[in-house]
Amino acid sequence: MSERLVRALQKGGCAAKLADGAYQIWRQRDLRRRPAGCLSGAEVETLRVQGRLSVLLLENRQVLVWTGPAYMPPTTSGAPDALMHTAEAEAPGHVSLLQRVLKRLEDTVQQTRVAEAAFDFRADCELASQSAGVSGMNWTALSAGTRIDGGAPGDRMGTNPSTRAARRLDQLQDRLGGDTFRVLGRLIVDEVTRNAMARHLGVKPATAEKIAECALLDLAETYDQSVRRPDRLRLSS
């Protein structure tokens, strides 16, 4: 993980996805300028899942901007999950269940696939909340598992990104079911711990972790097969 590029994001830059899955990094939110460099898809997904990067609509296109804490360089580098281990070391007992599930997936391809699904779910939640008169994610609706019904008022054709995101969330809920959708809301949006999820479900922590893993795998499969993913700015490499 390049400390220089992470610092560029931290200081007000942005990231946009390339066709090959990597991300170009800019020091400012003006994509007409020269990029500072690239981070791999796995590196960006790790930051994204940790909540350190969030989606921003920039001229009706999606980019990623820094929303995490002050950057502390990891003591190790190279492995895509290096920051996950660092986060666990900094806050023992408070690692999110999402991070736990990702770390236990030994297949790196599967890990990236599931991380991408979590990325897309959070992006859809953020986009759905960016309609007129809405500030922040619709936390209550997600936790309750109710339909989002967001989007710009009067946008019946679904041309607005927030409207399309709200429709995708409703499609996900229809295909996954309310129970799984509620688990995903707490897992990805609320970023609860394993113990918190266990208390919510009334099960043992190990069982809660397995339920979360199954929900994430179902989410990835649904995005792959049934529901269109969020629109992203994809630049030619």
Side-chain angles (χ1 to χ4, degrees):
M1 180 84 64
S2 168
E3 179 182 345
R4 176 179 63 87
L5 294 179
V6 173
R7 187 177 292 117
L9 290 169
Q10 183 188 12
K11 291 182 177 180
C14 66
K17 195 169 188 177
L18 296 168
D20 64 0
Y23 284 78
Q24 279 192 327
I25 310 300
W26 279 265
R27 291 188 175 87
Q28 298 179 346
R29 297 175 188 178
D30 184 351
L31 304 185
R32 294 169 297 181
R33 295 178 178 272
R34 184 177 178 179
C38 286
L39 289 175
S40 71
E43 290 171 326
V44 170
E45 299 300 352
T46 297
L47 293 171
R48 185 67 181 85
V49 166
Q50 291 179 332
R52 301 187 183 207
L53 292 174
S54 296
V55 174
L56 174 71
L57 276 179
L58 186 64
E59 298 178 357
N60 211 33
R61 299 174 296 182
Q62 286 189 49
V63 296
L64 296 176
V65 296
W66 186 264
T67 54
Y71 174 66
M72 296 295 292
T75 56
T76 59
S77 62
D81 63 346
L83 286 182
M84 294 184 186
H85 290 293
T86 303
E88 185 172 12
E90 291 173 350
H94 296 283
V95 177
S96 74
L97 178 55
L98 178 58
Q99 290 179 47
R100 284 183 179 274
V101 172
L102 286 173
K103 285 164 59 178
R104 66 179 283 175
L105 294 174
E106 296 180 356
D107 184 343
T108 56
V109 174
Q110 185 78 307
Q111 185 186 59
T112 299
R113 176 173 175 258
V114 171
E116 180 84 0
F119 172 107
D120 288 334
F121 186 84
R122 184 184 286 269
D124 269 336
C125 294
E126 290 173 349
L127 284 168
S129 72
Q130 291 179 16
S131 57
V134 177
S135 177
M137 289 189 195
N138 193 340
W139 308 104
T140 303
L142 285 168
S143 295
T146 56
R147 297 180 72 84
I148 304 302
D149 293 329
D155 185 22
R156 296 181 180 178
M157 300 302 293
T159 57
N160 187 281
S162 63
T163 301
R164 294 197 297 270
R167 289 183 177 178
R168 284 193 295 271
L169 289 173
D170 285 340
Q171 291 172 358
L172 286 170
Q173 184 178 352
D174 288 342
R175 286 163 173 77
L176 295 169
D179 289 343
T180 298
F181 192 85
R182 282 188 287 272
V183 167
L184 291 169
R186 290 184 175 274
L187 183 66
I188 299 171
V189 178
D190 294 335
E191 296 186 78
V192 298
T193 64
R194 186 174 69 164
N195 288 339
M197 181 68 81
R199 289 193 297 271
H200 170 68
L201 297 175
V203 298
K204 294 181 179 180
T207 303
E209 186 168 341
K210 186 61 180 177
I211 291 172
E213 180 180 347
C214 290
L216 284 169
L217 292 173
D218 287 345
L219 176 66
E221 183 68 17
T222 304
Y223 267 129
D224 287 345
Q225 302 297 331
S226 304
V227 177
R228 182 179 177 180
R229 292 178 182 275
D231 303 320
R232 298 204 192 114
L233 173 60
R234 294 181 183 271
L235 306 177
S236 59
S237 42

